[in-house]
Amino acid sequence: MKTIGSFSEYQETYQRSIEDPEAFWNEIAEDFLWKKKWDSVLEYDWSVPETKWFSGGMLNITENCIDRHLETKADQPAIIWEPNDPSASAISMTYQELHDSVCQFANVLKKNGIKKGDRVCIYMPMVVELTVAVLACARIGAVHSVVFAGFSSTALAARINDASCKMLITSDGSYRGSKTIPLKDISDKALKECESVEHVIVLKNTEQDIQWYPGRDLWWHLEMRDASAVCEPTPMQAEDPLFILYTSGSTGKPKGMVHSCAGYMVYTAYTFKNVFQYEDGDIFWCTADIGWITGHSYIIYGPLANGATTVMFEGIPSYPNYDRFWKICDKHKVTHFYTAPTAIRTLEKHPTSLIEPYDLSNLKVLGSVGEPINAEAWHWYDTHIGKQQCPIVDTWWQTETGGIMISSLAGVTPQKPTYATLPLPGIQPIILDAEGHELSANEAEGILAIKYPWPSMARTIYGDHERYKQVYFSAFEGCYFPGDGVSRDAHGNYRITGRIDDVVIVSGHNLGTAPIEDAINEHPEVIESALVGYPHDIKGNALYAFVTSFNTEVDEARLYKEICDQVAKSVGPIAKPDRIQFVTGLPKTRSGKIMRRILRKIATNDLERIGDTSTLLNPDVVEDIIAGNEEMLTSS
Ligand code: PRX
């Protein structure tokens, strides 16, 4: 894999990549194993929108992630797995073992009727079998749809139904710190609403009691017992779908982003190698969950395509203590550590004596992803974890982009705290003003857009190409619109300033406000609600719900709890509002649209910039809400 080794080489490569993108990506793609080479590098028309990379090419991503390393790396660990319980044994799975397990499980899928193109939902804890299941799907061309195992049965059912998944892979339960989560029970509940699922494969993990549905349910270990470890990889067209991964939208149901085989592989592999400057023998640990895109791209596909050793951690940073991350870095001699600002901010609140006992001298590179990293967290990370010896890559990207788009290259291009810095080769960001005019001055602030295709962009929203067009390609003609605000300094460094739509990033999780409001509104005593984000020391943002109720005398404590329970059930515990203010009315435009902008100002205590409220349908409620907000904050 081509690796950029100096700033001047980056500049030269970047220039080349935008002057002749096809020649550039053509050369990168040559580094992979293809069953048939492509006929054309790129065909696109964003007015449709349609984008095709490496059209005519045929490949299987698992052959690139596993088989081609076997000659030289059969005995090298592909995955190091660290359990939730620190006294349990870690697992090291070599490339050969991974190959055999993936082939076995691919045969299990086939035996149970899964064919190329079928959708398979995976709802599992962070155990090695999760990666095996993902790769087994890819091996036979089934489209995996991993659903984060913290989601509720309602959220799981919605995702299974949206993609008409034919199979669900889950476990009896999962460990999360001191808690055990009944994944099979949650799955059973979800499946009451899902008709498409024919079989459920259940991994024995926590050994807790579960209900069993004969004919539908199958034990993982029993199915694997006689499965052959030989399974030829199914040749896939470059543009065949590899997976669906759901992300929150600002309105309506979650969006099933569809990623394709070839472009995704080429781009995640290239960015993994270059951003992190990974070298053979390094140990790469990305702390994300595989239920999110970061886990897909930088725990599984990017590292394995490079023949790397990737760490998977089952647990959470606070269990059994807030030293767990550092203990794991020491134990497994981690060289690359990639986490989210919310984790850094949490750990920063704890004494550094929790870090000191551990040997972090193997660390070479630190990474950040998921939301803007504030200066304080950046410096703490740099000083206490990197000991000012490790470059920090602040990587900006999205579920939709598939791979890292804007980031420094570790130790190669300059870093600047709170800036994601420069675009990766092939990425052409621009800044637009509210009317869609490009701001050409170097120093600028506005709306981020990308003006040229890159290989790993999501190709559609599953089952709803019109929505894909609406959300990403309609705001500004000819550009991809990520929904983020941005500024740029005189040297061309980009700083992401946050979402400009109704998505709130809480502890690194992208939460659309609409489904949470829907959940709140389901409570029989609630008339309607509006949810906004406000800054939070640790989570980055927290959720503030303004709620109107049928009851004039609301028992606020009870209703608060019931609403939180409702949200946890419908969306997941992560989406529970931190504050709920019961109000007599919500500010509305004359056409009846809730003015979230005003509520956002109240929630963030930015009252001076509330603006003109006289044109509202009900200007009086604003004063009442401000008074109620003050009262709530002083009494809490
Ligand atoms: O707002 C940006 C923020 O996270 C959003 C994408 O969220 P998601 O699809 O869940 O993917 C997260 C992991 C790639 C973006 O639109 N975001 C992500 N990385 C950064 C960031 N904001 C600032 N700096 C980052 N490094």
Side-chain angles (χ1 to χ4, degrees):
M1 176 61 61
K2 302 268 173 309
T3 316
I4 297 167
S6 67
F7 187 44
S8 58
E9 196 183 341
Y10 161 78
Q11 289 172 310
E12 179 274 315
T13 307
Y14 185 76
Q15 207 47 38
R16 200 157 41 83
S17 78
I18 60 168
E19 275 164 14
D20 192 349
E22 296 195 28
F24 175 76
W25 289 113
N26 193 69
E27 195 186 327
I28 308 282
E30 292 283 356
D31 279 352
F32 295 83
L33 204 61
W34 296 81
K35 293 209 182 287
K36 176 181 170 293
K37 287 275 167 70
W38 51 96
D39 303 321
S40 72
V41 177
L42 172 65
E43 293 159 27
Y44 82 107
D45 176 355
W46 278 2
S47 67
V48 178
E50 183 179 66
T51 312
K52 292 181 180 169
W53 283 92
F54 312 112
S55 228
M58 298 204 74
L59 77 162
N60 186 289
I61 195 167
T62 67
E63 221 178 344
N64 283 277
C65 287
I66 309 174
D67 304 48
R68 70 172 167 147
H69 307 311
L70 292 180
E71 204 178 309
T72 53
K73 294 182 172 169
D75 298 329
Q76 179 201 298
I79 301 171
I80 294 175
W81 176 78
E82 171 70 19
N84 178 65
D85 174 0
S87 62
S89 309
I91 291 175
S92 172
M93 186 182 239
T94 65
Y95 270 94
Q96 185 66 54
E97 288 164 340
L98 179 63
H99 171 270
D100 294 353
S101 298
V102 167
C103 287
Q104 275 186 295
F105 197 65
N107 284 325
V108 169
L109 294 176
K110 285 205 274 195
K111 184 185 124 198
N112 288 293
I114 300 299
K115 297 185 293 298
K116 180 178 170 189
D118 287 342
R119 276 81 55 213
V120 172
C121 181
I122 303 178
Y123 183 66
M124 288 181 90
M126 280 286 287
V127 291
V128 174
E129 289 84 353
L130 165 54
T131 300
V132 169
V134 162
L135 293 169
C137 288
R139 186 92 176 164
I140 63 166
V143 179
H144 56 79
S145 167
V146 181
V147 175
F148 173 56
F151 274 129
S152 67
S153 60
T154 315
L156 174 62
R159 286 157 177 77
I160 291 174
N161 285 334
D162 185 70
S164 308
C165 293
K166 199 166 164 187
M167 177 181 273
L168 173 67
I169 305 169
T170 187
S171 67
D172 45 3
S174 71
Y175 297 112
R176 209 174 151 70
S178 57
K179 291 193 204 139
T180 306
I181 301 171
L183 294 189
K184 176 65 164 59
D185 285 359
I186 299 171
S187 300
D188 288 342
K189 217 161 153 207
L191 290 180
K192 292 208 164 79
E193 294 162 40
C194 306
E195 287 181 359
S196 56
V197 171
E198 293 171 6
H199 286 296
V200 180
I201 299 193
V202 187
L203 177 78
K204 196 172 270 216
N205 188 44
T206 51
E207 313 225 351
Q208 64 198 92
D209 286 341
I210 55 170
Q211 290 236 357
W212 196 255
Y213 294 78
R216 185 195 79 179
D217 296 351
L218 304 161
W219 280 115
W220 174 292
H221 60 279
L222 297 182
E223 292 295 302
M224 285 289 265
R225 208 171 40 190
D226 303 320
S228 151
V230 178
C231 176
E232 283 307 309
T234 300
M236 303 292 287
Q237 297 281 353
E239 281 295 315
D240 277 340
L242 172 65
F243 65 86
I244 302 170
L245 186 61
Y246 287 85
T247 185
S248 307
S250 53
T251 55
K253 56 180 189 166
K255 300 170 290 191
M257 305 314 305
V258 180
H259 282 282
S260 63
C261 292
Y264 178 81
M265 172 187 74
V266 169
Y267 194 77
T268 52
Y270 179 73
T271 52
F272 173 77
K273 180 78 179 142
N274 278 284
V275 170
F276 297 104
Q277 296 283 306
Y278 183 91
E279 291 168 344
D280 270 353
D282 287 344
I283 309 286
F284 185 86
W285 181 19
C286 164
T287 68
D289 192 286
I290 290 172
W292 311 117
I293 191 69
T294 312
H296 279 59
S297 302
Y298 299 107
I299 295 179
I300 302 183
Y301 288 114
L304 297 181
N306 280 280
T309 299
T310 183
V311 176
M312 276 181 78
F313 174 41
E314 184 186 26
I316 51 176
S318 55
Y319 182 78
N321 242 314
Y322 282 93
D323 63 352
R324 191 67 194 280
F325 273 3
W326 323 129
K327 202 183 186 117
I328 297 172
C329 284
D330 182 348
K331 177 174 173 187
H332 296 298
K333 302 194 168 18
V334 170
T335 55
H336 292 65
F337 180 72
Y338 187 32
T339 196
T342 184
I344 301 168
R345 287 192 297 265
T346 305
L347 297 170
E348 185 193 327
K349 300 280 180 269
H350 294 272
T352 51
S353 56
L354 287 177
I355 308 168
E356 280 145 22
Y358 301 106
D359 176 6
L360 301 182
S361 64
N362 288 296
L363 284 175
K364 298 204 273 194
V365 175
L366 302 178
S368 172
V369 58
E371 56 185 315
I373 177 166
N374 50 304
E376 192 189 331
W378 195 100
H379 288 293
W380 183 88
Y381 200 24
D382 181 41
T383 307
H384 297 289
I385 308 306
K387 320 286 182 200
Q388 299 194 319
Q389 302 292 316
C390 301
I392 297 179
V393 290
D394 177 357
T395 62
W396 174 81
W397 57 296
Q398 309 179 292
T399 306
E400 295 86 335
T401 69
I404 298 168
M405 303 284 280
I406 304 180
S407 170
S408 52
L409 310 182
V412 169
T413 63
Q415 62 190 30
K416 178 170 176 178
T418 77
Y419 281 72
T421 73
L422 300 171
L424 263 56
I427 304 305
Q428 301 192 37
I430 50 172
I431 302 185
L432 304 174
D433 66 14
E435 279 75 48
H437 302 122
E438 183 173 346
L439 303 174
S440 51
N442 244 352
E443 275 181 276
E445 179 155 5
I447 299 166
L448 179 63
I450 313 288
K451 71 170 182 191
Y452 197 81
W454 65 100
S456 66
M457 56 186 292
R459 302 295 196 261
T460 189
I461 292 177
Y462 189 82
D464 199 349
H465 198 65
E466 190 48 40
R467 187 174 178 201
Y468 174 74
K469 179 176 182 169
Q470 268 303 320
V471 176
Y472 302 108
F473 294 92
S474 303
F476 305 104
E477 209 186 319
C479 288
Y480 168 81
F481 168 66
D484 281 320
V486 71
S487 68
R488 187 169 52 207
D489 73 6
H491 304 285
N493 290 306
Y494 288 86
R495 175 185 191 164
I496 309 300
T497 50
R499 299 291 309 174
I500 53 175
D501 57 10
D502 287 335
V503 171
V504 184
I505 303 183
V506 178
S507 298
H509 300 308
N510 238 0
L511 299 176
T513 50
I516 306 174
E517 288 170 2
D518 289 349
I520 298 174
N521 298 349
E522 266 178 45
H523 191 287
E525 287 170 47
V526 169
I527 304 173
E528 62 177 351
S529 61
L531 194 78
V532 298
Y534 67 96
H536 185 278
D537 269 4
I538 291 177
K539 301 178 181 187
N541 294 292
L543 296 173
Y544 193 135
F546 296 87
V547 174
T548 57
S549 169
F550 292 107
N551 283 344
T552 39
E553 295 294 311
V554 180
D555 174 354
E556 296 193 354
R558 173 187 57 81
L559 199 48
Y560 175 84
K561 184 173 176 311
E562 288 175 9
I563 288 176
C564 286
D565 290 348
Q566 177 70 45
V567 170
K569 191 167 142 270
S570 303
V571 185
I574 176 81
K576 287 196 261 187
D578 296 80
R579 286 185 188 153
I580 298 182
Q581 184 181 344
F582 296 97
V583 296
T584 52
L586 297 170
K588 291 191 179 166
T589 61
R590 285 174 195 263
S591 61
K593 197 169 169 335
I594 297 172
M595 288 292 280
R596 287 187 178 70
R597 181 179 57 74
I598 293 178
L599 296 172
R600 228 173 268 137
K601 298 280 179 229
I602 298 174
T604 53
N605 201 16
D606 187 10
L607 301 182
E608 274 157 27
R609 295 205 293 162
I610 249 175
D612 181 17
T613 56
S614 62
T615 57
L616 291 177
L617 187 66
N618 49 355
D620 298 349
V621 298
V622 177
E623 288 308 315
D624 289 351
I625 297 174
I626 293 173
N629 165 271
E630 278 168 7
E631 198 181 309
M632 191 173 82
L633 295 186
T634 43
S635 65
S636 65

